[in-house]
Amino acid sequence: MAKSKKPRWQRRKEDRPAEIVAAALDVFRARGFAASRLDDVAARAGISKGTLYLYFRNKEELFKAVVRETLLPNLMLAEARLQESTAPTPALLLEVLGALVAAVGTPVGAIPKLIIAEAGNFPDLARFYVEEVIARGMALFARLLIRGRERGEFRAVDPLTAAPMLAAPILLMSMWKHALEPHAPPRAKAVFDGPRFLAAYGDLLLHGLLPRPSGPRE
Amino acid sequence: MAKSKKPRWQRRKEDRPAEIVAAALDVFRARGFAASRLDDVAARAGISKGTLYLYFRNKEELFKAVVRETLLPNLMLAEARLQESTAPTPALLLEVLGALVAAVGTPVGAIPKLIIAEAGNFPDLARFYVEEVIARGMALFARLLIRGRERGEFRAVDPLTAAPMLAAPILLMSMWKHALEPHAPPRAKAVFDGPRFLAAYGDLLLHGLLPRPSGPRE
Amino acid sequence: MAKSKKPRWQRRKEDRPAEIVAAALDVFRARGFAASRLDDVAARAGISKGTLYLYFRNKEELFKAVVRETLLPNLMLAEARLQESTAPTPALLLEVLGALVAAVGTPVGAIPKLIIAEAGNFPDLARFYVEEVIARGMALFARLLIRGRERGEFRAVDPLTAAPMLAAPILLMSMWKHALEPHAPPRAKAVFDGPRFLAAYGDLLLHGLLPRPSGPRE
Amino acid sequence: MAKSKKPRWQRRKEDRPAEIVAAALDVFRARGFAASRLDDVAARAGISKGTLYLYFRNKEELFKAVVRETLLPNLMLAEARLQESTAPTPALLLEVLGALVAAVGTPVGAIPKLIIAEAGNFPDLARFYVEEVIARGMALFARLLIRGRERGEFRAVDPLTAAPMLAAPILLMSMWKHALEPHAPPRAKAVFDGPRFLAAYGDLLLHGLLPRPSGPRE
DNA sequence: AATGAATGAGGATTCATTCAT
DNA sequence: AATGAATGAATCCTCATTCAT
C-alpha cells in the first residue's frame, strides 16, 4: 500500500486547543453553557466529539479554559497600556474605556454573561473571575482615579468605591450586545451604537469627575 | 384512634401559583434556569413534582411566569411613585435609585441575570423583557432627566442616551449580588454594601448632571 | 338555611355506569385503550375524574365492563333470533349477517379492534372474549351450517372449520370502519358501503367463485 | 493479563437498524405500540436505550420503520410472483393465499393488528397503510379475479368488491394468531392450523355454500 | 491522533390513582 | 355522592462521557 503519502490526519496538536476554545465560546455565547451541547462545539470546531476529550477533560474544564484563555490576554494588554502612557488622565481614561467598548463587540464580550449565569454552579470559576479579572480590573480603574487626583485632573473620590461605576456601563453594554440586542426593535439598537454611546458615557462621567472651574466644593 | 393524623396534603388552589413562582425564582437564582431541576422547585415549594404541572404547562412557562409576575408589579410601583412626586428632581432621582437598590437585594434582583443568560434560548421572553421592562424603565429615567432639565435642576443631556447610564450601576449591583458576591472575599463585599454604594453612585452621577457655574446644591 | 331545595348533586346512581361505559367506549375507540386518558373519559361522560372511581375500581375494570356490557346483549339477541326463525337457511344466514353488518356501524363495532389490540396485556379479557364471544358466535354459525345441511339447503362442509369464514368479512369490515376508513381516500370508502358489501359477500359465500356447470341455482 | 476481556460492545452500524426493527416488532407484537417500553425494545435488541436514538428519531419513527420495512418487501414479492405465473387461476389463487397464510405465521403477521390499533393516533401511518399496502393488495386480488374471468375459470363477479372477501380470512387468521390464540383453549387452536384452514378456505371460496346441481367439479 | 458508535444516568413530562374537601 | 387538587411511579428522550475501531 504505497498510496499513503497524505497522512490520515493533520498533525495540528498546537492549534487545536485554541480553535476548540474559540468554537466553544461561539456556542456558549449563543445558548449559554448549560444548554450548549458538546456536539455543537465539536461541529463548529470541525472535529469530532471524541477529539474534544483529547484536549479537555470534560465540559467544565473546557468552560474554564474558555474563560481563562480569552480574558487574561485582554486584561494584561490593558494593564500594560496604562503603565506606559503619559497622556492626561481624562484622555487616558477615555482611551481605556474605548478599548473596552471595542472588546465588548468581539466574542470575548460574552464572557461576563456566561460567568454570571454559571457562577452558582462553578464556584471556583466564580472565584477565579472575582480575583483575577474583577479585582485586577477594579485596581486598574482605581489607579487611574488616583493618578488623576494626584495630577489635579480629577476631584477627590474614593477610588475603590468609584471604580465599579466606571465599569458599569461597559458591563451593561456587553449584556445588551450579547443577550438582548438580537431581540430588540431597531430603534433600541441605536442607543448603544459605538462612538455615540462612548461619547455620552464619557461626558456624563467626566463632568462628574473634573474639578469645578470656580469655588471649592464638598 | 384519635383523628389527629395530619393529612398528607392540603388543598390550596389559590396560594399555590405564587408559592411555586417564589420557589422557582429561588432555585433558578441559584443554579440558572437550564441547570435547575423541577424536582428541586417542587421540593422547595413543598409540593410534588406533578403538582407543578397543574399550574404551569412546562418548565418554560414557569420561567415566563416567574419573570412576568415578579417584575411587572415592581415596575408599576415605580412608575406610580414618579407620577405623583413634587420633590426636587435630584432628590427624586436618588429616591428612585434607592428603591431600585433595595429591590436588587431581594430575589427579584436575580431576574436580570436569568433573562440575560437565557435570552438566546427564549426569544419571546427576551422580547418581552426588552419591550415591557427595559423600554419602560428607560422611559422612566428619560422622563426624570427631562423633568430635571425643565426645572433647571439638570444640565442638558440627551435623555434617551443618558438613561441607560443611570441604570448601569443598578444592573452591575444586581449581577454582583446574585452571582459573584457569594464567592467573593470579604473585602470585596464591602464595596457594594447598600447606602455606601448608593451615596457614591449618587455623588458621581449628580455632579455630572447638575448645572455648572455656581450656587449651593442640595 | 332553607334554600336547600335543590340537592347539590343529582342522584343518578342507576344510570351512571352505563353512561360512563358509553363514554369510555367512545374514547377507547378513537385512541385505543392504552393511549386513552381517564380525564377524557370523565369529560365525555360529563363527570369528574374522581367519580369514575366510585363506579369502577380502575382503568382495567372499566375496560372489561365496556367489553362485557356492550357485547353480551348483542350476542344474546342474535342467539334468540336464530332459535325462533323458520325461514330458509340461506335467507336466515343473510339476515344474521345483515344484523352483524348493522352492528358494526355502531360504536360496538370497535370492540374487536380494542380486544385484539390489548389481548396481550389483559389475558383474562382475552380469555373472556374467546370463550364468551367468539366461541358462542362460532357455535351460532356452525348451527346455521348444520341446519342448512340437514334441510338440504347447503352442501356438506365441516361446520366448525367453515364458521370463521362466515365471520371473517364482518371482522374485516369492523376494522375498516373503526380504524382505517377515516384515513382512506373517498374512492376506497365506497367498497364497504352497507348493502352493496353485504350483497357481494352473500353472493360469494353462497355461490363461490367457480362457474356453475349448468342448470338452475338456489 | 490476557487480552481476552471481551469488549463491552461492538460497533455494528450496518446491522443495527434491522436488528432494532426486528426487536421492536417482537415487543410491539406482544404489548401493542402504546404499552411497549423502549427499554424493552433495547434490551431485546441487545443494546442500550440511548443507542435506539442513534438510529430512530423517536418511538413513533421506530414504529413507522417497523411497518414500512417489514411489509413492503413481502408485498413486492407477492406482486412479482403473480406476474410471472402461467398456472390456472384457481391454483394460482390458492398459491397466493398459501403464501399469505405462511406469512401470517411469522412476526410480520402482527403488523395489521398494530396498524389497526394505532391508526387513530398516527394518521399518516394509517394513510400509508391504506395506500401502499391495502390498495396494492386489493389490486393484486382484483387482477387475479379478472384473470380468472378472462380465462373462463371464474364466474363474473365485481373484482373490486370481491377482493376484500378473499383477504378477509387472512386478516382474521392474523388477528387470531397474534392476539387471541395464546389465550385460547387447545380445541380452538386446531381450527386455524395451517393447511386445514387453507383447504377449508379455498373450498368455500371456490364453491360456495350452495349445493351443486350436478356434475363433477374442478 | 482521531473518530463516532455506544452507553446510561438524569431530567421533563404524563397520567392512573388517592384523598381532603 | 361528587369533586378535582395532589401525588408519584413510569417512561420518553437527551447528552456528557467512554471506548472499540
Side-chain angles (χ1 to χ4, degrees):
Chain A
M1 299 283 177
K3 67 177 171 183
S4 59
K5 258 306 142 57
K6 188 171 47 169
R8 218 166 122 215
W9 294 286
Q10 311 285 336
R11 250 313 228 65
R12 291 230 313 251
K13 227 182 156 182
E14 274 69 44
D15 309 347
R16 277 283 151 81
E19 290 172 11
I20 295 173
V21 159
L25 178 52
D26 275 355
V27 176
F28 293 169
R29 186 157 59 112
R31 311 229 74 98
F33 171 78
S36 292
R37 282 169 305 151
L38 290 188
D39 260 328
D40 292 343
V41 173
R44 181 170 277 260
I47 60 174
S48 80
K49 202 170 21 159
T51 303
L52 283 180
Y53 285 81
L54 298 177
Y55 296 97
F56 301 94
R57 196 146 44 77
N58 54 35
K59 197 184 180 189
E60 181 174 345
E61 287 307 313
L62 174 57
F63 187 27
K64 289 177 180 168
V66 166
V67 173
R68 248 181 287 111
E69 276 155 46
T70 56
L71 279 186
L72 290 189
N74 278 51
L75 192 57
M76 285 161 63
L77 226 64
E79 283 172 339
R81 193 104 142 268
L82 180 56
Q83 210 63 34
E84 31 185 64
S85 172
T86 56
T89 313
L92 180 54
L93 173 58
L94 287 180
E95 186 198 332
V96 168
L97 292 176
L100 280 172
V101 165
V104 157
T106 72
V108 193
I111 302 253
K113 120 178 170 182
L114 290 172
I115 298 275
I116 283 163
E118 298 296 337
N121 300 317
F122 303 108
D124 48 333
L125 188 61
R127 243 180 329 267
F128 163 83
Y129 190 72
V130 167
E131 283 162 20
E132 296 298 315
V133 182
I134 297 194
R136 281 166 70 180
M138 290 306 106
L140 192 151
F141 279 125
R143 250 175 289 133
L144 254 174
L145 292 171
I146 291 167
R147 180 186 193 268
R149 172 65 182 147
E150 287 174 352
R151 295 166 57 147
E153 296 158 322
F154 289 159
R155 67 185 178 93
V157 296
D158 173 27
L160 280 178
T161 316
M165 315 288 176
L166 307 200
I170 305 287
L171 179 79
L172 177 69
M173 195 180 179
S174 82
M175 300 293 173
W176 175 259
K177 284 275 182 225
H178 293 279
L180 299 175
E181 190 180 82
H183 310 287
R187 117 195 81 83
K189 294 185 189 173
V191 174
F192 283 96
D193 215 43
R196 185 176 167 196
F197 176 82
L198 191 59
Y201 175 20
D203 176 58
L204 200 60
L205 191 60
L206 288 176
H207 287 88
L209 285 168
L210 295 181
R212 299 279 157 170
S214 69
R217 282 195 315 268
E218 185 183 13
Chain B
M1 295 279 183
K3 64 177 173 184
S4 62
K5 289 282 174 52
K6 93 176 78 142
R8 273 178 40 212
W9 72 74
Q10 305 251 278
R11 283 195 151 182
R12 304 239 311 291
K13 195 189 197 319
E14 311 305 317
D15 309 343
R16 284 277 144 83
E19 290 172 11
I20 294 173
V21 160
L25 178 52
D26 276 354
V27 176
F28 293 169
R29 184 158 60 113
R31 314 224 75 97
F33 172 77
S36 292
R37 283 169 305 150
L38 290 187
D39 261 334
D40 293 341
V41 173
R44 180 171 279 261
I47 60 176
S48 79
K49 216 175 351 162
T51 302
L52 284 179
Y53 287 84
L54 296 179
Y55 296 97
F56 301 94
R57 199 148 39 77
N58 53 35
K59 198 183 177 188
E60 180 173 345
E61 287 306 314
L62 174 57
F63 188 27
K64 289 177 181 169
V66 166
V67 172
R68 247 180 290 111
E69 276 155 46
T70 56
L71 279 185
L72 289 188
N74 279 52
L75 193 57
M76 284 162 62
L77 226 64
E79 283 172 341
R81 197 113 144 253
L82 180 55
Q83 210 63 32
E84 29 183 68
S85 172
T86 57
T89 311
L92 181 53
L93 174 57
L94 287 180
E95 186 198 332
V96 168
L97 292 177
L100 281 172
V101 165
V104 157
T106 72
V108 193
I111 302 256
K113 121 178 171 184
L114 290 172
I115 300 274
I116 283 164
E118 298 295 338
N121 300 317
F122 302 108
D124 48 332
L125 188 60
R127 248 184 320 270
F128 164 82
Y129 190 72
V130 167
E131 282 162 22
E132 295 299 314
V133 183
I134 297 194
R136 281 167 69 179
M138 290 306 105
L140 192 150
F141 278 127
R143 250 175 288 134
L144 255 173
L145 292 170
I146 292 167
R147 181 187 195 266
R149 172 65 183 146
E150 287 173 352
R151 297 167 55 145
E153 295 159 323
F154 289 159
R155 68 187 178 92
V157 296
D158 173 27
L160 280 178
T161 315
M165 316 287 177
L166 308 201
I170 305 286
L171 179 78
L172 177 69
M173 195 180 179
S174 82
M175 301 293 171
W176 175 259
K177 283 277 181 221
H178 294 280
L180 300 174
E181 189 180 85
H183 311 286
R187 123 193 75 84
K189 294 185 189 174
V191 174
F192 284 95
D193 213 43
R196 186 176 166 194
F197 176 83
L198 191 58
Y201 175 21
D203 176 58
L204 200 58
L205 192 60
L206 287 177
H207 287 87
L209 283 170
L210 294 181
R212 285 306 147 131
S214 65
R217 287 190 310 269
E218 185 186 9
Chain C
M1 299 279 181
K3 68 175 171 185
S4 60
K5 255 315 143 54
K6 186 172 47 168
R8 217 165 122 216
W9 295 285
Q10 310 287 333
R11 236 348 212 51
R12 292 231 313 251
K13 223 182 161 188
E14 274 69 44
D15 311 346
R16 278 281 151 83
E19 291 172 10
I20 296 173
V21 159
L25 178 52
D26 276 354
V27 176
F28 292 170
R29 188 157 59 110
R31 312 229 75 99
F33 171 77
S36 293
R37 281 167 306 151
L38 290 188
D39 260 327
D40 292 343
V41 173
R44 181 171 278 260
I47 60 175
S48 81
K49 204 169 21 157
T51 304
L52 283 180
Y53 284 82
L54 297 177
Y55 296 96
F56 301 93
R57 196 146 43 78
N58 54 33
K59 196 185 179 189
E60 181 174 345
E61 288 306 314
L62 174 58
F63 187 27
K64 289 177 182 169
V66 166
V67 173
R68 248 182 287 109
E69 276 155 47
T70 57
L71 279 186
L72 289 188
N74 278 51
L75 193 57
M76 285 162 63
L77 225 64
E79 283 171 340
R81 195 108 143 262
L82 181 55
Q83 211 62 35
E84 32 185 65
S85 172
T86 58
T89 313
L92 181 55
L93 173 57
L94 289 179
E95 187 198 331
V96 168
L97 292 176
L100 281 172
V101 165
V104 157
T106 72
V108 193
I111 302 255
K113 122 178 170 182
L114 290 172
I115 299 275
I116 283 163
E118 297 296 337
N121 300 317
F122 303 108
D124 49 333
L125 188 61
R127 243 180 332 265
F128 164 83
Y129 190 73
V130 167
E131 283 162 21
E132 295 299 314
V133 182
I134 296 194
R136 281 168 69 180
M138 291 307 105
L140 192 151
F141 279 126
R143 250 175 288 133
L144 254 175
L145 291 171
I146 291 167
R147 180 188 195 267
R149 173 66 184 144
E150 286 172 353
R151 297 168 55 146
E153 295 158 324
F154 288 160
R155 66 189 181 90
V157 296
D158 173 27
L160 281 178
T161 317
M165 315 288 176
L166 308 200
I170 306 287
L171 179 79
L172 178 68
M173 197 180 177
S174 81
M175 300 294 172
W176 175 259
K177 284 277 181 223
H178 294 279
L180 299 176
E181 192 179 82
H183 310 287
R187 116 195 82 84
K189 293 185 190 173
V191 175
F192 282 96
D193 214 43
R196 185 176 167 196
F197 177 82
L198 192 57
Y201 174 22
D203 176 59
L204 199 60
L205 190 60
L206 291 175
H207 300 109
L209 278 173
L210 296 184
R212 299 274 154 174
S214 69
R217 286 195 311 266
E218 188 181 8
Chain D
M1 292 284 181
K3 64 176 173 185
S4 62
K5 289 282 175 49
K6 92 177 77 139
R8 273 181 38 212
W9 72 74
Q10 306 251 275
R11 281 194 152 184
R12 303 237 314 290
K13 195 190 200 315
E14 310 305 317
D15 308 343
R16 283 278 144 81
E19 290 172 11
I20 295 173
V21 160
L25 178 51
D26 277 354
V27 175
F28 292 169
R29 185 158 59 112
R31 313 226 74 97
F33 171 78
S36 292
R37 285 168 305 150
L38 289 187
D39 260 337
D40 292 342
V41 173
R44 181 171 277 260
I47 59 175
S48 80
K49 216 179 346 167
T51 303
L52 284 179
Y53 288 85
L54 297 179
Y55 297 98
F56 301 94
R57 199 147 39 78
N58 54 34
K59 198 184 177 188
E60 180 174 345
E61 287 305 314
L62 175 57
F63 188 28
K64 290 177 181 169
V66 167
V67 173
R68 250 181 288 111
E69 276 156 45
T70 57
L71 280 186
L72 290 189
N74 279 51
L75 193 58
M76 284 162 63
L77 226 63
E79 283 172 340
R81 196 112 142 258
L82 181 55
Q83 209 64 32
E84 27 182 73
S85 172
T86 57
T89 312
L92 181 53
L93 173 57
L94 289 179
E95 187 198 330
V96 168
L97 293 176
L100 281 171
V101 165
V104 158
T106 71
V108 192
I111 302 256
K113 121 177 171 183
L114 290 172
I115 299 274
I116 283 163
E118 297 296 339
N121 300 317
F122 302 107
D124 48 332
L125 189 60
R127 247 183 323 269
F128 163 82
Y129 190 72
V130 167
E131 283 162 22
E132 296 298 314
V133 182
I134 297 194
R136 281 168 69 179
M138 291 306 105
L140 193 151
F141 279 127
R143 253 176 287 134
L144 255 174
L145 293 170
I146 292 168
R147 182 187 194 266
R149 173 67 184 144
E150 287 172 351
R151 296 167 54 147
E153 295 159 323
F154 288 160
R155 66 190 180 88
V157 296
D158 173 29
L160 281 178
T161 316
M165 316 289 175
L166 309 200
I170 305 285
L171 180 78
L172 177 68
M173 195 181 179
S174 81
M175 301 293 172
W176 175 259
K177 285 276 182 222
H178 294 280
L180 299 175
E181 190 179 84
H183 311 287
R187 121 194 79 82
K189 294 185 189 173
V191 174
F192 283 96
D193 212 44
R196 186 178 165 193
F197 176 82
L198 190 58
Y201 175 20
D203 177 57
L204 198 60
L205 190 60
L206 291 175
H207 300 110
L209 279 172
L210 298 183
R212 297 275 153 173
S214 68
R217 287 193 309 267
E218 187 186 11

